[in-house]
Structures are given as C-alpha cells and as structure tokens.
Amino acid sequence: MATTAPPYGREVRIKVAGPAGAGIKASGETLARSFAKAGLNVFDLTEYPSLIKGGHNVYVLRVSADPITSHVDPVDVLVALDQLTVELNASELVDGGALVYDPDDVTLDTLDARLRERICPVPVRLTQIVKDAGGKPIMRNVAALGAVIGHLDFPLRFLSESLHTQFARKAPEIAEQNVAVAAAGHDAAREAGCAFPGRVEPLPDAPEKLLVDGNESVGLGALAAGIGFYAAYPMTPASPLLHFMARYGADAGVVVKHTEDEIAAMNMVVGAAFGGGRTMCASAGGGFALMVEAFGLAGVSESAVVVGVFSRTAPGTGLPTWTEQADLRYVMHAAPGEFPRVILSPGDMTDCFELAWKAFNLADRLQTPVVLLSEQYLQESHASVEPFDVAAVTIDRGKLIPEGDVSRHDGALGCEGRYLRYKLTEDGVSWRALPGVRGASQVVNSYEHDEYGHAEEGAQMRALQEEKRMKKLDLARTLVPPPAYFGPEEADVSVVLFGATKLPVLEARDWLEASGVAVNVMQVVTLWPFPTDEVRAFLGAARRSLVVEGNYSGQLEGLIRQHALLEVDEHLRRYDGRPFSPEQVFGKVLAMVGRGPEEAAAPAPEERTAVQVGEPSGKGADR
C-alpha cells in the first residue's frame, strides 16, 4: 500500500542537549551503552560546535528492537540541560513526547501554548538531586539519564552497569555515587507521571553486539592487521583514533607517536614503513594538506603506508566538527605529479574494520599509499554491530624480504647479481628488502631514481620508472574490494553512493520497500582505481538512477560521467555540514516515482506519533 510517511519501526528517539562542557556526549554514550547491553540496536549522532564551553551541543540516540542503520528526525524524549535547548528543540517532539528538564533552571512559559499542550513535561530537579548526593554539578547529566530510563520504564540496572563501565578506572565510590544520582533521577521521573506510550524492554535473546564508532572500528581493523606504528597530530574527527591507539596500542605492541604536526606524522610513517613496520597516520582534510609533500615521498619511494583522511566541512577551517564528502577529488590528485594510490571508502562500522585491515595488505602488495577516505558522520557516530569477523583477517605482505640473504631471491636481483630495489617488473612491484637483509644495499629518497635507487635524471629511466609505478593500478584492479550491492536486481530506482551516505540510504531503502517502491543500491567501496565496468553495468540496467553524495559539485557523479560515460537521471546533494537523513532520501525517491512532493515524505513534528519498543504495559519495571 502506498504511503508518503516513513514507516518507522519499534523504536524510541532520544535527544540530549545543552551547552558544551555539560557532558552531553559522554552521558549520551553511557545511555547508548545501557540499551546495547540489553540487546537493543542503537545508533547515535553528535552535533557540536567547535567550542570548549558554551554553544549548543546535541546528542541524538535511536533505540530499536529491529535492525537500524542511521539516525532519524523525530524526537520522543528531549532532555533539556538549559533554556536554549527548550527554545531550539522542543518543537521537534512528537505528540505526547516527553520534555525532561530542571524546573529550577528551565521554564516552559516561553513555549507556544499549542506546543505545551501536545508535549508531556517531566520536571526533575536535577541540580538538587546532585546536591543531595554530594556530587559535582556536572553530574546533572547522570540524573537526567536516570530520568530518561525512568520515563521509558526501562530497568535501571543496565544504566548502573554502564556507569560502572564508564568509571571502571576510577575509585569504586565514584561509580556508586553516579548510580545513586541516576536512581534518584529515575524515581523523580516516574513520580512526574508522564507515561511513555509503551515500554522499552531488554531483548535477552539478542546476539552479543559491539558498541563502536568509526574511529574505534578503524583502530580495531588496524590492530587486527598487525599495525606496528601509528603517528598523528590531533584534528577532528580523526583525534579519537589517536586516543584509541594511545590507549590500546601498547598492549598490541604498537608504537604510537603524537607528533608536533601532520608533516612529521607523515614523514615518520614513511620512515617506519622503510623499517618494515605496518604504518598508518590519519587526519582531516586540513591536516592531510600538510602531509601532501611527504605523501608524494611515499609515492616515489614506493612506501607501503596507510593514510586516513576523515573529512569534515571545508575549505580552510570550515566547520571543524561537522561532516562533508568533498575531499574525494582532493585525495585522488593530492601531491605534485602522478603516482598510483588506492582510495577505499567505508560506509559503516563493519566496513571501517574490514577496509582498515585490507588497506594494509593492499599497501604491502602494491607498495604504494592506500587512503581510507571517511567522514565525521561515520567516524564519530556509534552503532551496535555484530562482532567483527576477526577470523577472516589475513596478513599478506607481498614481495617482502624481511630477513636472510637477498641472493636467495632471484627476482630481486639484476643481471649483475645485485639487489635492485626498483627493478622494472611486469606488475610494477619490486621485491622490498628490509634493512639488515644481507646483500641488499639500497638508496631510498625523494628523487627520481634508477633501479638501484640512485638519483637519475635521464629521460629514458624517468619514463621507465613512471611506467613501472603506474602499472600498479592494473594490479590494483585485481586486488581491491569491489562495489557492494543492496536490494533487488531489478528496481524502480537505482542509487549510487560512497561513504557514510550508505547509512541513511539503506534505512530509506527499507522504508521504500515497505511502501511498495523497489530500490537497489551500489556502494562504491573502492573509489580509486574507479570501478568503471561495474558502475556502467549497474547504471546501464537502471530504470531511473540517482546519485546521493555530500558535496556541492557532485564529485562522484562527475567520476561516473568521466569514466563510465553515463549521465544519471537525478542527484541528491547536501553540503551544509549535516549528514543526510533517511527522510530526505525517502522523499527524493518517492518524488522520482511520482509519489508526491519531497516535502511530503518528512512529516512535520505535529504529525508524528511516538512508537514503542516492546509490548505496552503499565509502570512497575524493576530497578
């Protein structure tokens, strides 16, 4: 049956908002972990300005008993830690939605009378609860989390476990104090008498899940690949990966270096690769700009390095804490001259893990830089996912001679029996001997060179070495991950995308299927070398085609036009620093198939109704 509104499933949407410094993100993650511990599916989205204190921070959490892939627009429970949150976000609540606030700090008198009538106030004296417990003012957020749990009739013990996990490295009494504050918030919310139209229940038989963001997933993939050296200078949204490596790398034997800048990070990574380690650095586009010269060094020296470029809104400083997909052409062409590179683009947490460990194999097999191109939306959002398939991880170091005598490797020697680091080969890849291998003297620098590595400016050798390096692209096409496909073979609309746009598009695809519209999706996993044949085949079979990407100029659409010689029917682009919502994609596709205007797809807040997770019941949940 046709519909024009997204068919949301059994889920709850919670928004926590307030000023920077109020612990918005940390408390949100504690809440997400509580639901994940109960077997429920979660996805969160954090929006925050580049401020240490002040501004307006937002944490959005979606909880569902069914599989979910992204955030959505409606809000069922709003936690207002300041007055500004009420002014900015109260109108987003669904009919009957709960507004949790501290009546000592926040008033609802400023709200329109019609808005006050359709929402359910939950006054909880957060500050007083913290004072009574002898806690610090920042613990207001914990009292608010307890209030959310109480309002949803959800067992408090999961929040208690989550708080114990959060404060595991601190004195036990700190966790207990936070639990006491949460319990008081829980009780206060239940006394407020605002009933959620259902009950959020644990799913005891649900399979075990991980709660991870993109940075943690990339870090786990790198550890699985046997990374030996990670260097970086902090820059949003890649900073959490440095924190992850600093915290867990030592246990895995990884040398982690917080460098003085990105230039040093990239140069150190190239040097560590020469020494034989699996190496990686990561930054945002602005940091990558500083790495570009050394990125070229990695190209000419044929160094096996992995570089994370996690995009945020640019140019310049842009919007430092917001998302965009505008660095695709940039990483394709970064550095003077031409050299082969591979660009992989993860679309979800599992992709982050799998492409991270595969990137190290590709870098070793091809002896050239491999870029993981991601964006803030994916790197800083958390999702509950199935445990990563560690058993599938393989280590392939390619043409590497780690020890022994180079004379035992005929393929590494020239006609004079000497080791040739840059020997001209059919596939463009030469044998790489590590320092210490007997008989493998070599010269490695940033100059064009002959087969030994000696600086060479002769026209013939320059051309031969350039041709040797570029042959790697042909080999890469046989090694890189292919595009991923979702949905039926035949569809009303065929969507092409890359990166984290996968998350809202797949959510919208499920809604469209439930609404009688068939959609199939091609996720371009390897952006370079571009999968021309696969894109041409997919779009050639499409009835109507759509490219969804987060940049102004349509960089992916341009690559399709350039390489596949095809024009798509429609595009959907966003470049305001915000990720696509599934409602946007849903509306766009409906419009393409003649099912109403785009704006009809995303219902206005007053048209939405709260949904439930689990079966309706009265109060009385255990704690």
Side-chain angles (χ1 to χ4, degrees), residues 309 311 325-329 331-333 341-347 355 362 370-375 473 477 480-483 496-500 522-532 535 547-549 551 555-557 559-560 563:
V309 180
S311 298
Q325 291 185 301
D327 290 336
L328 169 54
R329 290 281 191 172
V331 297
M332 281 180 59
H333 302 294
R341 67 199 70 181
V342 171
I343 303 173
L344 306 177
S345 177
L355 294 185
L362 287 168
V370 175
V371 176
L372 275 178
L373 179 64
S374 186
E375 59 258 37
L473 282 177
R477 290 186 175 91
V480 297
V496 183
L497 57 84
F498 75 98
M522 169 190 249
Q523 176 198 0
V524 182
V525 176
T526 300
L527 287 161
W528 194 256
F530 193 72
T532 302
V535 170
V547 173
V548 184
E549 57 184 316
N551 56 67
Q555 297 183 24
L556 175 61
E557 187 176 343
L559 287 175
I560 293 171
H563 294 279

Side-chain angles (χ1 to χ4, degrees), residues 50-137:
S50 181
L51 295 171
I52 302 299
K53 278 189 174 294
H56 185 60
N57 282 230
V58 173
Y59 177 88
V60 178
L61 176 63
R62 184 182 182 202
V63 183
S64 177
D66 302 316
I68 54 175
T69 62
S70 77
H71 70 291
V72 292
D73 287 341
V75 178
D76 299 306
V77 181
L78 173 64
V79 178
L81 294 178
D82 63 1
Q83 185 66 39
L84 183 60
T85 297
V86 173
E87 312 303 332
L88 294 179
N89 303 110
S91 63
E92 300 170 358
L93 282 164
V94 300
D95 287 349
L99 175 57
V100 179
Y101 68 103
D102 187 338
D104 294 333
D105 301 324
V106 174
T107 178
L108 305 189
D109 294 342
T110 58
L111 294 181
D112 179 85
R114 289 177 295 178
L115 177 58
R116 286 205 303 270
E117 289 176 359
R118 69 172 184 79
I119 65 174
C120 187
V122 184
V124 178
R125 301 185 68 194
L126 305 174
T127 301
Q128 189 60 49
I129 287 174
V130 174
K131 286 181 179 178
D132 293 343
K136 298 179 179 179

Side-chain angles (χ1 to χ4, degrees), residues 180-199:
V181 168
H186 173 276
D187 293 345
R190 293 166 67 81
E191 292 171 2
C194 175
F196 183 70
R199 179 175 179 175

Side-chain angles (χ1 to χ4, degrees), residues 359-548:
F360 285 93
N361 283 352
L362 287 168
D364 272 336
R365 290 286 304 275
L366 298 168
Q367 296 179 19
T368 200
V370 175
V371 176
L372 275 178
L373 179 64
S374 186
E375 59 258 37
Q376 183 272 340
Y377 176 52
L378 177 57
Q379 294 307 116
E380 295 198 326
S381 293
H382 292 82
S384 54
V385 299
E386 302 294 327
F388 298 138
D389 188 4
V390 179
V393 176
T394 59
I395 306 296
D396 187 345
R397 304 222 59 183
K399 294 181 178 179
L400 179 71
I401 307 173
E403 58 186 5
D405 194 318
V406 74
S407 64
R408 297 178 180 174
H409 299 269
D410 292 339
L413 308 178
C415 57
E416 298 177 348
R418 295 173 56 192
Y419 172 57
L420 298 179
R421 170 65 186 96
Y422 300 109
K423 184 178 181 179
L424 302 174
T425 60
E426 289 297 321
D427 61 4
V429 181
S430 313
W431 280 92
R432 179 164 64 109
L434 298 187
V437 172
R438 286 189 295 277
S441 61
Q442 56 186 298
V443 178
V444 176
N445 57 34
S446 64
Y447 279 79
E448 187 57 275
H449 45 252
D450 61 16
E451 290 179 281
Y452 295 102
H454 299 141
E456 168 67 57
E457 297 190 8
Q460 182 180 15
M461 182 52 66
R462 155 64 187 180
L464 289 172
Q465 287 294 332
E466 183 75 343
E467 291 165 2
K468 165 195 171 341
R469 289 189 291 267
M470 298 307 284
K471 284 180 180 176
K472 296 179 183 180
L473 282 177
D474 292 331
L475 176 61
R477 290 186 175 91
T478 68
L479 301 175
V480 297
Y485 301 92
F486 306 90
E489 188 170 337
E490 296 186 2
D492 300 302
V493 176
S494 297
V495 180
V496 183
L497 57 84
F498 75 98
T501 302
K502 169 185 180 181
L503 300 171
V505 168
L506 290 190
E507 189 73 39
R509 195 201 71 82
D510 290 343
W511 296 348
L512 289 159
E513 182 180 50
S515 302
V517 180
V519 174
N520 55 17
V521 178
M522 169 190 249
Q523 176 198 0
V524 182
V525 176
T526 300
L527 287 161
W528 194 256
F530 193 72
T532 302
D533 293 341
E534 292 89 340
V535 170
R536 187 177 288 148
F538 181 75
L539 290 178
R543 295 175 189 165
R544 299 276 293 169
S545 57
L546 170 69
V547 173
V548 184

Side-chain angles (χ1 to χ4, degrees), residues 549-610:
E549 57 184 316
N551 56 67
Y552 176 83
S553 62
Q555 297 183 24
L556 175 61
E557 187 176 343
L559 287 175
I560 293 171
R561 186 181 303 113
Q562 177 183 347
H563 294 279
L565 304 178
L566 292 173
E567 294 284 352
V568 296
D569 295 310
E570 303 255 4
H571 61 246
L572 180 62
R573 300 173 188 167
R574 188 165 192 178
Y575 39 85
D576 58 2
R578 277 67 180 170
F580 288 101
S581 71
E583 286 87 349
Q584 285 179 293
V585 180
F586 181 78
K588 178 67 179 180
V589 173
L590 281 184
M592 288 180 66
V593 298
R595 292 275 291 274
E598 292 181 35
E599 57 270 20
E606 60 271 18
E607 296 173 326
R608 299 171 182 146
T609 56

Side-chain angles (χ1 to χ4, degrees), residues 261-264 266-267 285-295 330:
D261 56 31
E262 289 86 350
I263 300 172
M266 187 73 224
N267 277 298
F288 183 62
L290 296 175
M291 295 179 179
V292 165
E293 183 177 11
F295 188 66
Y330 173 38

